[in-house]
Amino acid sequence: HGEVLIKVKSSTICGSDIRAIYREHLGKGAEGYQNKICGHEPSGQIIKCGPGLRRFKTGDRVIVYHISGCGLCIDCRQGYMISCTSHHRRAYGWQRDGGMAEYLLAEEKDL
């Protein structure tokens, strides 16, 4: 509910990825890849829409914000998803699949 399938056109990695790649990394904590596809801030075009969308439609070009917050806490409601402390907070490319793939499943609230 409220998700879109995106055909990825571009994506990046960030300094946290570089630190994890080039230093000993145990795969634990916030920077743990946890068997996910990397890639932050992906962009692309919506090719399929799930039920419950409010703002986007098939064919729209979008950018995906790299943090998917809970959407309910004060920080999320003020637009600071990166500060979300909920256990529901997941980053694209770390705790959920990121943009280094041909397709990406994203939540509408993250576009």
Side-chain angles (χ1 to χ4, degrees), residues 25-40:
H25 185 28
L26 302 176
K28 296 180 181 176
E31 293 182 356
Y33 282 112
Q34 302 174 16
N35 297 316
K36 301 297 179 191
I37 298 167
C38 70
H40 295 314

Side-chain angles (χ1 to χ4, degrees), residues 10-97:
S10 67
S11 187
T12 62
I13 59 174
C14 73
S16 297
D17 291 301
I18 301 299
R19 182 173 54 246
I21 292 167
Y22 291 105
R23 293 186 184 167
E24 183 179 344
H25 185 28
L26 302 176
K28 296 180 181 176
E31 293 182 356
Y33 282 112
Q34 302 174 16
N35 297 316
K36 301 297 179 191
I37 298 167
C38 70
H40 295 314
E41 292 97 7
S43 64
Q45 190 166 22
I46 296 174
I47 61 166
K48 191 169 184 181
C49 296
L53 294 186
R54 297 178 185 175
R55 300 179 298 148
F56 295 95
K57 63 186 181 312
T58 300
D60 285 349
R61 296 184 302 179
V62 294
I63 298 170
V64 180
Y65 185 66
H66 67 290
I67 301 293
S68 180
C70 70
L72 301 173
C73 70
I74 292 171
D75 286 323
C76 283
R77 290 173 36 204
Q78 292 178 341
Y80 300 109
M81 286 70 69
I82 198 164
S83 298
C84 178
T85 58
S86 168
H87 69 278
H88 295 292
R89 176 192 184 273
R90 298 180 299 157
Y92 289 90
W94 289 98
Q95 293 85 30
R96 63 184 300 164
D97 286 333

